Amino acid sequence: MAEGTIKRLTDKGFGFIDVGTNKDLFFHSSNVEGTSYEQLREGQKVTFNEGRGQKGPCAENVTPV
């Protein structure tokens, strides 16, 4: 599993994870595990699996550390 930090959350049910590169990784609220999307906070560390979405790479199985 990869690790990153939540950079931005939206009120539309998706967010972005800072993975240490110049491109942040998109994730959807349906890919959050072990908690609800509403309980996530910007700056929080998470683990995830990298997957492929319709628009490119995305994070799946997003779990707070």
Side-chain angles (χ1 to χ4, degrees), residues 12-24:
K12 295 183 174 146
F14 64 89
F16 297 90
I17 298 172
D18 181 353
V19 293
T21 63
N22 61 350
K23 194 130 171 99
D24 298 329

Side-chain angles (χ1 to χ4, degrees), residues 2-61:
E3 195 169 297
T5 305
I6 295 176
K7 186 171 188 176
R8 191 162 67 96
L9 295 169
T10 70
D11 57 4
K12 295 183 174 146
F14 64 89
F16 297 90
I17 298 172
D18 181 353
V19 293
T21 63
N22 61 350
K23 194 130 171 99
D24 298 329
L25 208 54
F26 169 88
F27 75 96
H28 189 267
S29 59
S30 64
N31 289 316
V32 175
E33 304 281 327
T35 189
S36 69
Y37 176 80
E38 292 74 22
Q39 291 179 305
L40 295 176
R41 298 288 170 252
E42 292 177 3
Q44 186 173 19
K45 295 240 183 251
V46 292
T47 60
F48 59 91
N49 295 321
E50 192 167 330
R52 293 275 318 150
Q54 294 174 338
K55 297 181 181 178
C58 65
E60 299 174 343
N61 304 320

